[in-house]
Amino acid sequence: MTMFHFLNCAILTFGPHAVYYSATPLSEYDTLGTSIKAAVVYLVTALVKLVCLATFLKVSESDSFDPYQELLKALIGFVDVAGLYFALTQLTHRNISQNHKFQAVGLGWAFADSVLHRLAPLWVGARGLEFTWDFVLQGLEANANLVLCLSLAALGSLIWLRKNKPKTLIPIIYACAGIVATMPSITSYLKRGLGWHFPKVVGFELFTSLVMAFISWQLFTACQRPSN
Amino acid sequence: MAKSQPSVWVDPVYSSVITLLIIVMACVELCDAVTVVDVYRLVQYDLAGVPFGSRLAALNHHAGSSLFSSSAAAGAAADLSRTVLILPVRELNLTFIKDSAGISDHDSAKDIIKEDLRELEQLLIHANIPYPVYFGFEDDRVNAVLADVKKNDATGQLATATTGGYKLVVSAPEPRKIASPTITNIQGWLPGLKADGDSNQLPTIAVVASYDTFGAAPALSVGSDSNGSGVVALLELARLFSILYSSPKTRGRYNLLFVLTSGGPYNYNGTHKVLIPSKDLFIFVYTCAVGLCRDFDSVLSCYSGRSLDQRLRETIDYSICLNSIGSVSNELWIHVSKPPDNIYIKQIFEVAWEHEQFSRLRVTAATLSELSVAPDFLESTGGLSDSRYFVDEASISRSVKLVAESLARHIYGLEGKNIDIFADDSSLSVNPSYIRSWLQFLSTTPRVAPFLSKNDPLIMALKKELADHTVEVNVQHEVLDGMFTFYDSTSGRLHVYQVASVTFDLILLMGLGSYLVTLFSFLVITTRRERETYTNGQQLLQFPPGKAGNETQPAISRFYHDWCAFNTAR
């Protein structure tokens, strides 16, 4: 029954993306093209990041937390942000509202991320006879990642696409965007520096993703009100 | 743990390379088992058509820890056809085994209870078990698995597909018959000194030992005592007498023949064939030991066409067979057999001692052994319980000295004289390190004859060793008696997997389904307001037919269209 387990974990990892697409008005506005374009941009970004990491990072034998290496990884992680900027602003989208644009881009981004990072381990590992909880936890992490990507896309669209923002909110927007963008470094620090186990890390990710989603939603609706 | 896991957690980008290159890893079998253990199968053989031993090799079932589950009603046995039992030998209660049909064992190598093991071995060899039976060594991982399985069993659950637990898998092909198993005899010939003018053949003394074993697990049958001790003693005797025979001044008036026979457990098949070989396979190998002066007479007679067996039978004065002389107790028995008075008595089926094969052909022979009673068929043949731990080198040395002194006094006519030929601290002393190293080698080499090929390293090693000590070495290949049929697949690898039950998967699926449904409804509800605005906008654009004129329509529609566009563009 191990194919069964693989199907379960695949549903957990990729199901929410499909559900999100069909449940929200994204499907009605037919924004699939945008999502696909965003996914392609993510692939290119991943390739660029890979090349940078291979060039600048040295392979460490121990599994400890090296601040310098982590700093380097965080800087390279900002290539992600650049990619997102590109996807949000430079790609030509059809006439869809900004509301839907960031959702479509975030969805495509998160889907590409899940496929790239989680499909191969799932296919290889979940089909074996041996049972581990890792793949279920990985699926939960994919869900958290989806929410985080949407938040990041929302904040990104606020930063780059919306011209008239209330002055007081601008630093908060940038701060939240910074936190969400450096999420990978934070989780890697927790895993290796503090030695947290995987379930704990996934729990933390889920919690923070919900918190950031709530905050960015509030910021978004605050900016949507006409500024006076 | 899947091997690709570390790449995901250490460096997320590298795993993306795997996907970017789209490697299809479906065919690669990763070793993701909790433990992988080397296991050795119970022997499978047919004797005159009657099957014995374990008849299957492949294994793929859940693990259990006892023959009876603790919560079983009315003492019903666990379903053995769907369970694999892990039983440590030290906890074995043999009466249970005798009653049940299928068992799978794990045994402890360090804490052997020799008698129990011997009894278990005899039981298994003579039983016909339609299940795979494997032996393995105890270690920490296996013990951990066993403890877990016992804990699960204690809660009363029988391990099946619906309750999860451990799954044991041995993937082995169907065992096949070994076609024409060969037994190989190795003979070393030390010719004696022929006086000038002596046209008669010199008498021969033969020293014989069988080197192969048989046990419950052929891959573990090393037979240190039966008959590793005999082989070691024979080699040491060959070494000592080769020193004596190297110079013509000290060469005796007897030829010496050292024979290492195979087929011991099978009624001393090989010994029989030494004396009466089959016509085809008879390979002659010449060796010239450095420093040994060759006796050209014997060389010429080899070429003369008279086979060694005829010479043997005609000239053997007597032969000494060595069997199990390595135990700690100080007893040595010499067994002789009385040839039947009536030559028309049919040969008996079972041959208890090796010398009986000689006696049948009217050759004087005796067996030297620590056993006081002849072992039963397939008993004391060097099985599981016969390990290096129980063999005493000093006993072997003492026995070698005894045999060597007796032979030498007879050869050189020194009976009754008070001479110590092979005295300690002389150049002819028995070498304990030689004995120890050969005993060590034999105790780590399983030697079941059907599984030894013609050019097996063991046979080559024994041949080389005899060639070093004797003038002429003769390797004789024969086919094992047709009564015995052996099957291959003597060892395998056991994979232990921790599996989740089907119930768990179903529950997980239902949980996921409800999660996705909840997510769907949550999203639909939160975006309802937006949806309503959209549909309202659509409705407003559609005017009732025939109401408004052409002039007003475009204006209103244009105005509303602009307003909608303005809203959506924000």
Side-chain angles (χ1 to χ4, degrees):
Chain A
M1 279 301 142
T2 51
M3 206 61 191
F4 201 164
H5 188 60
F6 167 74
L7 281 172
N8 277 347
C9 293
I11 289 171
L12 179 59
T13 315
F14 302 113
H17 301 85
V19 163
Y20 192 90
Y21 184 79
S22 52
T24 57
L26 284 181
S27 51
E28 289 167 27
Y29 284 104
D30 196 18
T31 50
L32 194 63
T34 316
S35 297
I36 293 175
K37 282 186 214 165
V40 170
V41 173
Y42 180 83
L43 284 178
V44 174
T45 317
L47 204 58
V48 171
K49 266 183 22 181
L50 180 69
V51 170
C52 290
L53 278 173
T55 318
F56 296 116
L57 226 57
K58 63 176 192 293
V59 179
S60 67
E61 284 78 37
S62 64
D63 208 17
S64 61
F65 182 75
D66 184 0
Y68 179 63
Q69 299 293 316
E70 294 300 322
L71 194 64
L72 222 58
K73 280 194 198 169
L75 284 175
I76 294 178
F78 277 104
V79 176
D80 249 341
V81 180
L84 205 57
Y85 168 78
F86 180 81
L88 278 172
T89 55
Q90 303 299 336
L91 292 180
T92 53
H93 303 292
R94 282 190 308 184
N95 234 353
I96 52 176
S97 77
Q98 197 183 50
N99 202 359
H100 298 139
K101 191 191 290 187
F102 86 81
Q103 284 183 52
V105 168
L107 189 66
W109 196 264
F111 186 73
D113 183 89
S114 285
V115 165
L116 229 54
H117 290 161
R118 293 177 188 99
L119 185 61
L122 205 58
W123 177 251
V124 169
R127 285 184 315 134
L129 272 177
E130 179 77 14
F131 174 77
T132 54
W133 281 104
D134 285 337
F135 298 108
V136 178
L137 291 173
Q138 198 182 32
L140 291 175
E141 201 195 20
N143 280 297
N145 193 48
L146 169 66
V147 178
L148 276 175
C149 283
L150 287 172
S151 327
L152 187 61
L155 293 168
S157 78
L158 275 186
I159 295 172
W160 297 306
L161 294 180
R162 190 172 292 273
K163 301 308 167 198
N164 46 344
K165 297 186 280 276
K167 291 292 176 210
T168 47
L169 293 178
I170 292 179
I172 308 178
I173 294 172
Y174 276 96
C176 291
I179 293 174
V180 177
T182 52
M183 248 341 226
S185 304
I186 296 174
T187 47
S188 125
Y189 170 68
L190 289 174
K191 236 175 280 173
R192 290 201 268 158
L194 293 182
W196 279 21
H197 290 303
F198 195 35
K200 221 168 161 186
V201 173
V202 171
F204 171 78
E205 279 183 27
L206 283 169
F207 175 70
T208 43
S209 64
L210 289 173
V211 165
M212 298 314 296
F214 181 72
I215 293 175
S216 38
W217 177 43
Q218 291 300 315
L219 286 171
F220 202 84
T221 47
C223 292
Q224 205 153 359
R225 276 184 243 115
S227 52
N228 39 349
Chain B
M1 286 293 289
K3 283 208 167 62
S4 61
Q5 285 287 62
S7 69
V8 177
W9 313 132
V10 167
D11 215 327
V13 191
Y14 287 148
S15 77
S16 66
V17 178
I18 299 174
T19 329
L20 281 173
L21 297 177
I22 316 220
I23 297 171
V24 177
M25 296 172 63
C27 305
V28 174
E29 188 186 316
L30 290 182
C31 174
D32 56 1
V34 172
T35 7
V36 181
V37 184
D38 283 321
V39 288
Y40 311 97
R41 199 169 74 102
L42 180 66
V43 67
Q44 180 181 359
Y45 67 103
D46 296 338
L47 179 57
V50 181
F52 289 103
S54 158
R55 309 305 296 181
L56 289 176
L59 189 69
N60 189 342
H61 288 303
H62 290 263
S65 71
S66 76
L67 286 167
F68 303 102
S69 78
S70 55
S71 75
D79 188 2
L80 286 170
S81 59
R82 305 188 71 80
T83 325
V84 174
L85 292 173
I86 310 176
L87 300 167
V89 160
R90 48 193 160 76
E91 297 171 20
L92 219 45
N93 188 337
L94 287 170
T95 49
F96 276 152
I97 309 264
K98 285 180 182 129
D99 296 336
S100 71
I103 39 178
S104 160
D105 301 323
H106 267 218
D107 90 280
S108 149
K110 297 282 179 253
D111 195 358
I112 297 171
I113 306 164
K114 193 174 182 200
E115 212 33 57
D116 275 354
L117 208 53
R118 208 188 44 77
E119 205 183 321
L120 172 71
E121 199 172 358
Q122 284 305 305
L123 201 63
L124 290 175
I125 291 175
H126 295 290
N128 180 5
I129 304 171
Y131 302 117
V133 179
Y134 281 94
F135 295 90
F137 289 103
E138 212 173 300
D139 65 0
D140 296 327
R141 298 170 306 168
V142 172
N143 278 337
V145 169
L146 184 59
D148 245 343
V149 171
K150 278 196 174 141
K151 206 157 47 131
N152 282 343
D153 275 357
T155 63
Q157 282 180 324
L158 291 173
T160 56
T162 52
T163 51
Y166 285 92
K167 197 156 199 203
L168 305 180
V169 178
V170 176
S171 47
E174 180 88 26
R176 290 172 316 211
K177 285 188 193 178
I178 296 180
S180 316
T182 47
I183 51 176
T184 309
N185 298 322
I186 309 169
Q187 303 172 23
W189 174 257
L190 260 184
L193 184 67
K194 255 198 183 156
D196 295 331
D198 190 356
S199 58
N200 293 333
Q201 279 277 32
L202 284 176
T204 308
I205 299 177
V207 180
V208 187
S210 80
Y211 68 85
D212 72 327
T213 59
F214 178 82
L220 293 176
S221 299
V222 293
S224 300
D225 202 14
S226 306
N227 193 13
S229 53
V231 172
V232 165
L234 185 145
L235 289 174
E236 178 66 3
L237 283 170
R239 188 186 71 85
L240 290 172
F241 277 99
S242 80
I243 299 176
L244 268 179
Y245 272 46
S246 54
S247 149
K249 286 200 287 248
T250 50
R251 202 175 295 168
R253 307 283 294 274
Y254 280 85
N255 300 322
L256 283 174
L257 180 67
F258 298 95
V259 190
L260 286 167
T261 59
S262 179
Y266 324 115
N267 294 324
Y268 294 103
N269 215 279
T271 322
H272 182 68
K273 302 245 161 100
V274 164
L275 301 170
I276 311 175
S278 60
K279 293 281 189 269
D280 20 348
L281 295 166
F282 213 153
I283 303 161
F284 251 84
V285 173
Y286 264 121
T287 25
C288 184
V290 175
L292 271 180
C293 192
R294 228 171 323 149
D295 185 352
F296 287 105
D297 250 276
S298 62
V299 164
L300 283 175
S301 62
C302 291
Y303 276 129
S304 72
R306 278 205 313 172
S307 57
L308 187 59
D309 61 324
Q310 284 174 293
R311 281 193 294 155
L312 275 179
R313 272 198 286 159
E314 287 164 22
T315 64
I316 287 187
D317 208 13
Y318 59 89
S319 109
I320 303 221
C321 307
L322 301 169
N323 183 0
S324 312
I325 51 177
S327 83
V328 181
S329 66
N330 214 355
E331 292 184 338
L332 265 186
W333 296 78
I334 188 159
H335 301 268
V336 289
S337 51
K338 202 170 139 198
D341 299 321
N342 193 343
I343 55 171
Y344 296 110
I345 290 178
K346 262 178 91 164
Q347 291 172 352
I348 49 170
F349 170 64
E350 272 186 26
V351 178
W353 294 112
E354 193 161 12
H355 68 269
E356 291 181 21
Q357 294 281 14
F358 287 92
S359 299
R360 273 202 232 165
L361 299 163
R362 307 274 173 178
V363 178
T364 314
T367 301
L368 200 63
S369 171
E370 76 206 358
L371 303 166
S372 54
V373 181
D376 286 331
F377 182 56
L378 293 181
E379 199 186 334
S380 287
T381 49
L384 280 179
S385 52
D386 196 346
S387 75
R388 175 71 184 86
Y389 180 76
F390 296 103
V391 177
D392 182 26
E393 291 160 20
S395 300
I396 302 180
S397 298
R398 271 198 305 271
S399 314
V400 168
K401 188 143 188 274
L402 177 71
V403 175
E405 285 282 352
S406 316
L407 281 178
R409 287 188 197 198
H410 180 227
I411 289 172
Y412 297 110
L414 301 168
E415 287 99 330
K417 304 232 179 81
N418 193 9
I419 287 185
D420 207 1
I421 301 176
F422 300 97
D424 297 335
D425 301 328
S426 71
S427 63
L428 283 174
S429 65
V430 174
N431 187 351
S433 1
Y434 186 82
I435 290 178
R436 191 177 312 128
S437 65
W438 271 100
L439 195 61
Q440 183 63 30
F441 169 61
L442 290 170
S443 302
T444 49
T445 318
R447 306 190 296 275
V448 181
F451 302 107
L452 292 175
S453 64
K454 280 187 193 175
N455 296 317
D456 201 84
L458 171 76
I459 296 175
M460 294 292 115
L462 289 172
K463 183 180 121 193
K464 181 179 174 301
E465 192 61 22
L466 267 186
D468 280 346
H469 301 314
T470 58
V471 170
E472 190 186 307
V473 170
N474 176 8
V475 176
Q476 179 192 9
H477 299 288
E478 297 284 346
V479 176
L480 184 60
D481 197 350
M483 250 190 338
F484 289 88
T485 317
F486 284 88
Y487 293 79
D488 64 2
S489 179
T490 53
S491 65
R493 293 178 72 77
L494 178 75
H495 298 263
V496 181
Y497 296 107
Q498 195 165 12
V499 292
S501 55
V502 174
T503 332
F504 170 79
D505 282 331
L506 285 170
I507 292 174
L508 190 62
L509 184 66
M510 288 198 306
L512 281 176
S514 50
Y515 165 67
L516 287 178
V517 164
T518 326
L519 187 67
F520 189 88
S521 21
F522 171 75
L523 287 171
V524 165
I525 291 170
T526 46
T527 54
R528 182 184 301 172
R529 201 170 45 86
E530 197 188 321
R531 247 182 257 268
E532 283 169 357
T533 323
Y534 178 67
T535 24
N536 282 343
Q538 292 281 55
Q539 278 175 352
L540 279 173
L541 275 172
Q542 294 163 358
F543 296 103
K547 193 119 191 261
N550 276 349
E551 313 82 57
T552 50
Q553 247 183 7
I556 296 173
S557 69
R558 216 183 320 120
F559 165 72
Y560 196 79
H561 191 265
D562 286 345
W563 184 75
C564 285
F566 176 68
N567 258 355
T568 52
R570 281 170 44 104

